[in-house]
Amino acid sequence: NSQRYVQVLEAIFESAPQILISTAFLIKAQTDTVNLLVVVSLVTSFWTLAGRVAADDKQMFQEEWKRIDFGKCADFYLPFNIRWFIRVVMWRFLEISSRIVLLCIVWINLGGVTIFFLVGFEFVYLAIICYGLGTVDAM
């Protein structure tokens, strides 16, 4: 699906770098007040990235893990599907946010060249896997 592929590229090459730069800026900012626009941009980029990755995860799960289903789930008397919450929020949201925080810590302490080599190494590694599998789904 070409639309899915374009959305994945947007998440990788726009949202992910923007999240990294905004988070590093917020960590390094020496002021007590933070510009609301930076925070809104960070949250929007994070929502885009996490939503895209979580949407791609749907293919690997059974039907009861795929949708939030407000009002249709009786698990633990919650108004939504707890399995969806675990998959999207507890798994993908926390996994992506922990990666971003780790990259920011490395960037702040070791510099941008280190981030360039880490991301470059991961890209080459994933390109080799994609070539071996014959599909770009590993990216």
Side-chain angles (χ1 to χ4, degrees):
N1 185 349
S2 60
Q3 177 66 28
R4 179 183 156 266
Y5 185 68
V6 169
Q7 289 174 339
V8 169
L9 289 177
E10 185 270 333
I12 292 170
F13 293 112
E14 182 182 346
S15 296
Q18 187 172 0
I19 291 169
L20 185 61
I21 291 168
S22 297
T23 305
F25 174 78
L26 290 175
I27 291 172
K28 291 187 81 156
Q30 298 295 322
T31 62
D32 292 336
T33 60
V34 176
N35 190 348
L36 182 63
L37 185 61
V38 174
V39 175
V40 169
S41 173
L42 175 65
V43 169
T44 305
S45 296
F46 191 73
W47 179 267
T48 301
L49 182 62
R52 181 72 256 153
V53 173
D56 284 345
D57 288 341
K58 281 184 183 180
Q59 302 170 21
M60 298 182 287
F61 288 94
Q62 296 173 355
E63 194 62 37
E64 63 266 10
W65 290 82
K66 291 183 179 183
R67 291 178 178 63
I68 191 166
D69 292 333
F70 286 110
K72 294 182 181 178
C73 189
D75 291 343
F76 305 106
Y77 302 103
L78 294 173
F80 57 87
N81 186 353
I82 190 68
R83 292 179 181 104
W84 177 89
F85 181 79
I86 290 170
R87 179 180 66 86
V88 173
V89 176
M90 300 301 290
W91 180 35
R92 277 304 180 190
F93 180 81
L94 294 177
E95 185 256 340
I96 291 171
S97 61
S98 65
R99 282 180 180 237
I100 295 296
V101 169
L102 285 173
L103 283 173
C104 283
I105 290 171
V106 169
W107 185 11
I108 289 169
N109 290 314
L110 300 178
V113 176
T114 307
I115 291 294
F116 175 76
F117 283 115
L118 282 174
V119 171
F121 174 76
E122 185 172 5
F123 181 77
V124 169
Y125 172 74
L126 289 174
I128 291 169
I129 290 175
C130 288
Y131 179 75
L133 294 174
T135 180
V136 295
D137 286 340
M139 290 276 204

